Amino acid sequence: MLKTVKQVMLAGSMLAVAMTAASADDIVVGSAAGITGPIAELVAPIVAGRELAAKHVNEQGGLLDGDTLVLAHADSQCDPTAGVDAGNKLVNIEQSVAIIGASCSGATNGMVQSVTIPAGVMSISDSATAPSITELDDNDLVFRVAASDAYQGVALAQLAINAGYTKLAMTFSNDDYNAGIASVFEQAFKDLGGEITGSQMHEPEKQSYRSELSTLSGGGAEGLALFAYYGSSGITIVRNSLENGLFGKFLAADGMFDTSVIEQIGADALRGNIMITQAASDDANVSYQAYAAAYGPAYESQGYAASAPYAAHGYDAAFLVALAIEKAGSTDRAAMSAALREVASGPGTVIRPGEWAKAKAAIAAGEDINYEGAVGNNDFDANGDVTGMFSVNTVGDGEGYTTDLIR
Amino acid sequence: MLRLEDLTKNFGGVLAVDGCNLEIEEGKITGLIGPNGAGKTTIFNMIAGALRPTSGKILYTSRGEDGKESTVDISGLPTHEMFHRGIVRTFQIPHEFGALTVLENLMVVPAEQHGESLYQSWFHRKKVIDREREVRRMAEDALEFLSLTHVRDELAQNLSGGQKKLLELGRTMMTDAKLVLLDEPGAGVNPTLLRKLADMIRRLNKERGYTFCIIEHDMDMIASLCDPVIVLAEGKVLTQGHMKDVRRDERVLDAYLGGGEEEAA
Amino acid sequence: MEQLYGYFLYSLSLLTFGGIYAILCLGLNIQWGFTGLFNAGVAGFFAIGAYVSAILTAPESPRHLGGYDLPIPVGVFIAMVVCVPVAWAIGRVCIRLRSDYLAIATLGIAEIIRLVFKNELWATNGARGVSFVPKPFEAWDSPWDQIAMALVVLVIVALLYIAIELARTSPWGRLMAAIREDEPAALAAGKNVERFRLEAFVIGAVVMALGGAMMAHYIKFVDPKMAEPLKATFLVWVMLIAGGSGNNKGAILGAMLLWFIWSITETIAPIIIPDSFAHVVYPFHLVASWFLPEAWMATPIAPDPVTGLDSWDSKAPFLRVFLIGLALQIVLQKFSSGILPEQRLQSLADTDDASARAARSSPS
């Protein structure tokens, strides 16, 4: 026992030495992510996006006086408790200047409320989308480059009205993500003059959803608004609806966006009958292409694609933090959020992904800059949110999705 | 002091005890013998409240504080109720509290321990400690009686088989017992200890006035200790009386050698 | 200097988390360590404590029941009170079950409680959780707010320790141990075993609710994920078993130690373990993932020797799952009854009784 204690203490002192030595010309930015836990597979390419941004910074002159940007990772596990623990480590042990993350909304809620806001540390999440984060009393310290579900819900409601729907039934899976979008959609659709004939929550992973769907189909709705993950309930609901003739038209959010929906239901049954919104990047955009050109070759061997969900957001979040540090001209935590607002929106020299050397030179020359990121212009509103960009996916003439950006 | 009237226990169609009538007299050491499966332990379990009789009565006569005798049917009462009426039992296979010390094993038993209430043990510490001293004195006396003082602070799980048997007996000494039911106290005990055990039972009977009822297979022990002896077979009383007479009874021999003869015939 | 200050603040958070887990462990120790009740539903009582206190103290919100704005101590107290009838009802039904059945029943009930909190959207905001839960002393300046929070938790642990230790060393504790060791014999000793088992169950559950409430106020947020069995039940069990069940000091030590190891390994692992070790661990992890339930295994990222971009840092969390399992194995193999095994005390009768003690210690 005593020996174990000694070893732990030894390890602790080694850690202390290593940390102090490292801090001389490294600038540490915290990176909280659900590295383990339920969405580990989604998180890996996002973390890679953050790493890529750090690499660009370090290859093109580094931060301030040639200091190295180091990302310190901590595992927030998609769980509020772990989020707080990760935040504590990043703020106190790693002495992070700012924090990127956390991944899940629950972990982010815990981390920012309990740790980073009280400590005065700025955080930018690249994938937390819960509307409740908007309302936090955060002293302008909490930002995100991923759009709140509120915006996607509104976008889908507008889309439905534009497509001529007036009466819709609605069902949503009982998880924080889908339930969040659903409640925003319901409100927005009503505000735009639509009518929700019935709304049912459902538990994922059931064998059949016939009873829920029969109840919903009674209201004379023209279609079904479906908020679910395709694998755990979405596909089953579409199949049950079509087989029993309950619903023929579907509107869905990005939990349903996957080619397996077409593979399992069949393109013919869905052609002209389904609309799926998705948080999108403008592929045609110069910024996105600059990012994708760098991301692809670097991570292809690991099987991560540039288009992986929120990978581009990860890149933008990390790049924005680096710009904020450069703009602030110091590692003073208190200066970060004001600097971030300056570099994120115009006017100023436009900076795109990968253009660190250009940004550094512009800031050194005292010019204003405006980062146009891979996922959009990243202009933060008063709550630290971005409006985001969405696409609508339909089944067209071919066997796959036809994607159009909503403008 | 205890009379069983038509006591019956039916285990899903198997009649373990079949209309048994017997009486245990106050102040005596009654032996209960019979072949395996005669229903002896089942009767004990019913008297001690561990099993609920299927039918029949257990009439218990006790003297109240005013000295008046009263008889009530106690069949089906829970074990702790039986205990509070002075009916205490031991087990065939010792049931010791293994992770408690020998002293603690005895100290658990007495009733009216204020410290069993959380409120008292938090806020009336003094009262609890005073009672604790009494209880410990009682336990130490019992250990001395049992010649177990040298293992007082040993964990009960580390005792030998014989010592555990003694501890079983010791638990009956920690309360105002009136009727003590001993289930095979001599099983697996060496002859020296067996003699000591018989001595102790006799002393408790004489000095403390315990009434005993003993299930036992060791006929010598029964012969030296018990009078009367009740013989059970197939859930019923076969005969009863002094051991000398019982030994000569042909029906008893039949019951013990039992089925074999019938099959042969 | 700033670095040292950071370590100081981090150690406060370690103590706070460790202390909250110690509260949960003490509750489980009453049930399992003393009385032998196999409660596999710690998470259920944790959730009741967390949600009730959070909803009672959080400001009004259109997303969930609330707006009562009660002071934190009142919220925590009511959460514990609410737990009494719930635990009593559950105990009344389940307490007679043998230990393995009791485990199954309580595990199921804890899941039901969690799903109720997840599905009653009007009250709890469902899976999206309750935000804006107030934290004690949050208006104070750093570091005093964090020092005060840690102190409050540690004082609660200390008070609980004293109360539970007083109970353990009194006839109450002895009786509970007797019930755990041999129920028929405890019955034969005239004890109302069912009543005492129920008492231990309810008191343990109330202590767990206190732990849940403290967690909610510390995190400032509650969602159903926090009450998943892996985190809120099994981790507490592991802590108690490793620390030493039946021993209150062991319960506290187990909670602190395991939380420290859990939290610190992530930071230390990449420093003390060379990169190449990842290649050694990976195959084991992969093999283990074929046999163990998915929830137990973090999905491993294969170490990639080509790009060098994906730093070892991001793999450390996976290694730590492995390390904590290894540490637990070593503890359980070396200390089969936990690090601090149960101690049988001498009788309370010895208290303030120097002469008796002297008499016994002298050779006789």
Side-chain angles (χ1 to χ4, degrees), chain B residues 79-80 83-84 91 95 97-100 104 107-110 113 115-116 118 121-122 125 132-133 136 152-153, chain C residues 163 166-167 169-172 174 177-178 181-182 185 187-191 203 344 346-351 353 360:
Chain B
T79 305
H80 60 270
F83 180 90
H84 292 302
F91 295 90
H95 279 237
F97 304 121
L100 269 59
E104 284 180 311
M107 291 180 68
V108 167
V109 181
Q113 298 205 46
E116 285 177 5
L118 276 181
S121 54
W122 282 331
R125 206 72 180 156
E132 207 46 5
R133 292 213 174 102
R136 192 178 62 172
R152 169 188 201 277
D153 294 330
Chain C
L166 277 177
T169 54
S170 77
W172 185 86
R174 185 170 63 214
E181 290 297 311
D182 197 311
L187 276 168
K191 308 302 178 190
I203 291 172
R344 281 328 298 174
Q346 289 311 313
S347 160
L348 247 195
D350 293 333
T351 319
D353 197 349
R360 267 198 305 109

